Amino acid sequence: MATSCNCVAAAMRSLRPAAAMRLPLRSPPCRTFTSFHHSNLQRSSRTIWRQESARLSGSQRGTQQVQNLANGLRGQSRPFSSSTPRQKLKTIQQVKARNKGGPFNLTAAVLFIATAGALYAYFTYEKERMARKRIAEQTKGIGKPKVGGPFDLIDHNGNRFTSDDMMGKYALVYFGFSHCPDICPDELDKMALMYDKVVEKCGRVLLPIMITCDPARDTPEVLKEYLKEFHPDIIGLTGPYEKIKDVCKAYRVYFSTPPNVKPGQDYLVDHSIYFYLMDPEGDFVEAIGRNFTADQAAKVISDHIKDWEGPLKKKDRWA
């Protein structure tokens, strides 16, 4: 029994050194790996810290350099600009001298105003021209004219005058009579002024015509003597009563004479008071009433003549 206990004790003693020897063999690798890993982390951290420190130091140095450069350039012109720095303006002469070469000077203002005025005048003229064209087109009839038409009468020289003699020129037609006390003389004076103004602007391309509403008393001789007091170029037309009546109807002119008039008895004729402007093709253009002054009427006629694109007879056969 004692022998067996001794054997067990001896076996236990023999096992202790082996365990003691094995433990140091296991623990050093663990301690070595831990130390290596920790040292690598420390070295990496120190490297990163140095890099960050260097970067931050460089940024701070760059910021400081920028601030120093800004402080040095304060109050000076930019290095990439070739213009001289602007000085503080102290006098009116300096202000005028600086503004003289600027974009908003007196010359630019004058050019701007002149251009705006020219554009306004152009568009105003075009607007008026289109309105005149619209009026002229609206008054033309299809197949049968709305105002005007063929006629065959006698002029103040006793010669035959038809509607074909009006072709190639503008015609200003007025209906009246020589015994009219006040309205006809006023309108014929206006016609003379209108005619002269149109001739001055456009040449002799207008025929001033007066057709009598009183053929019983207005013979060619009477018309010739009467019209020369107003203008030598005004053409007087007369003819038989029925033809005069047809012409007045074609031009939409109202006229009437008192019934049962005895020979030699004085009387008045009631009639419409308009100037009828006819174009070179015999078409009605526009009616000019008493509300027009001579200047206004002449402008209307001249504008229509200038708008005409066809040929015009400049030779006046009645001169």
Side-chain angles (χ1 to χ4, degrees):
M1 186 66 176
T3 304
S4 60
C5 292
N6 292 332
C7 292
V8 172
M12 292 298 292
R13 285 194 298 268
S14 63
L15 290 173
R16 288 177 182 172
M21 291 179 65
R22 285 195 297 269
L23 289 174
L25 291 176
R26 291 179 181 177
S27 58
C30 295
R31 288 195 298 269
T32 303
F33 175 78
T34 305
S35 301
F36 177 78
H37 181 67
H38 182 68
S39 62
N40 286 340
L41 288 176
Q42 289 179 347
R43 284 196 297 270
S44 300
S45 299
R46 285 194 297 270
T47 303
I48 294 172
W49 181 82
R50 291 193 190 97
Q51 292 177 354
E52 288 295 324
S53 299
R55 185 178 63 82
L56 293 175
S57 299
S59 300
Q60 292 175 356
R61 287 195 299 272
T63 304
Q64 186 65 30
Q65 290 177 358
V66 171
Q67 292 178 353
N68 294 337
L69 181 60
N71 293 332
L73 295 178
R74 187 173 296 167
Q76 299 180 3
S77 61
R78 292 173 295 179
F80 54 82
S81 176
S82 60
S83 61
T84 59
R86 285 193 174 184
Q87 301 295 331
K88 187 176 181 180
L89 304 178
K90 298 181 180 180
T91 63
I92 298 299
Q93 289 75 13
Q94 291 178 349
V95 175
K96 291 182 178 180
R98 190 188 72 176
N99 294 335
K100 184 177 181 180
F104 299 103
N105 51 26
L106 181 60
T107 304
V110 172
L111 291 176
F112 175 78
I113 294 174
T115 304
L119 290 174
Y120 175 79
Y122 172 76
F123 285 113
T124 301
Y125 172 78
E126 283 297 313
K127 182 179 179 181
E128 293 177 352
R129 187 182 68 83
M130 294 304 296
R132 292 192 301 268
K133 184 177 180 181
R134 183 170 60 253
I135 291 173
E137 290 178 352
Q138 289 176 351
T139 55
K140 289 184 179 182
I142 300 176
K144 182 179 180 181
K146 295 181 179 180
V147 177
F151 60 82
D152 189 351
L153 299 175
I154 300 172
D155 67 11
H156 60 271
N157 291 318
N159 300 318
R160 183 187 179 192
F161 190 99
T162 67
S163 54
D164 293 337
D165 293 319
M166 296 167 54
M167 298 298 174
K169 283 191 174 185
Y170 275 84
L172 190 64
V173 182
Y174 176 74
F175 291 82
F177 64 107
S178 61
H179 290 76
C180 182
D182 48 12
I183 295 178
C184 290
D186 292 342
E187 295 303 296
L188 290 174
D189 281 334
K190 185 190 294 186
M191 174 184 273
L193 292 175
M194 293 158 51
Y195 175 75
D196 287 337
K197 293 179 182 295
V198 171
V199 170
E200 182 180 355
K201 293 181 179 180
C202 305
R204 301 173 71 86
V205 294
L206 179 67
L207 294 177
I209 299 173
M210 173 188 164
I211 300 178
T212 182
C213 297
D214 185 18
R217 292 182 293 182
D218 287 341
T219 62
E221 295 78 14
V222 172
L223 287 178
K224 185 175 183 178
E225 187 68 22
Y226 177 70
L227 292 176
K228 72 178 183 180
E229 298 180 2
F230 301 98
H231 201 286
D233 290 344
I234 298 179
I235 303 169
L237 299 180
T238 186
Y241 179 82
E242 291 300 326
K243 288 188 176 182
I244 294 295
K245 182 179 179 180
D246 292 340
V247 175
C248 290
K249 183 178 179 180
Y251 278 82
R252 307 295 190 269
V253 174
Y254 164 79
F255 84 103
S256 66
T257 57
N260 302 323
V261 176
K262 298 179 181 179
Q265 183 180 358
D266 195 14
Y267 58 89
L268 295 177
V269 178
D270 190 14
H271 62 89
S272 303
I273 306 171
Y274 285 102
F275 292 100
Y276 297 88
L277 181 63
M278 312 299 290
D279 70 12
E281 294 179 349
D283 291 324
F284 171 67
V285 178
E286 190 170 347
I288 301 174
R290 299 187 66 187
N291 57 318
F292 285 81
T293 64
D295 291 334
Q296 293 172 342
K299 184 180 184 306
V300 170
I301 298 170
S302 300
D303 289 340
H304 280 294
I305 292 175
K306 291 176 182 178
D307 292 340
W308 182 257
E309 298 178 354
L312 290 172
K313 293 180 180 179
K314 302 241 176 180
K315 184 178 179 181
D316 191 359
R317 59 171 285 192
W318 307 105

